[in-house]
Amino acid sequence: MMHATNTPAGFVVEAKIDHLPEELIVSVDRSASETAYSCFLDDRKLAVLYKDPYGIWIQRWGRLDAYSLSSLSAALEAH
């Protein structure tokens, strides 16, 4: 089950990373052109994602596999 809770530094989502359920802290960086989501696992930056104009989640930074990216994208959508 994916859920999200707010924290002072952003919010927390639960997603499957490498097929294991993990809680990630997400910080949001809004610019004039897009909103980027920096995702941290155990104080380590795991990935930076953003949604393109067509609604597709793009991994700008990081090395998530397709399954982990899909799970994390769904968790961000649900937040």
Side-chain angles (χ1 to χ4, degrees), residues 14-75:
E14 186 177 297
K16 290 199 176 193
I17 304 299
D18 294 329
H19 298 275
L20 298 173
E22 302 282 4
E23 285 192 345
L24 293 97
I25 296 174
V26 180
S27 66
V28 181
D29 178 26
R30 288 183 174 87
S31 71
S33 60
E34 68 184 28
T35 301
Y37 299 85
S38 295
C39 304
F40 298 86
L41 178 61
D42 299 328
D43 296 325
R44 177 176 55 95
K45 185 187 265 188
L46 192 65
V48 177
L49 305 181
Y50 74 99
K51 192 189 287 189
D52 76 7
Y54 302 101
I56 305 298
W57 285 95
I58 305 294
Q59 183 174 201
R60 167 171 289 145
W61 184 92
R63 295 178 178 243
L64 294 177
D65 62 27
Y67 179 86
S68 299
L69 178 60
S70 175
S71 179
L72 183 51
S73 299

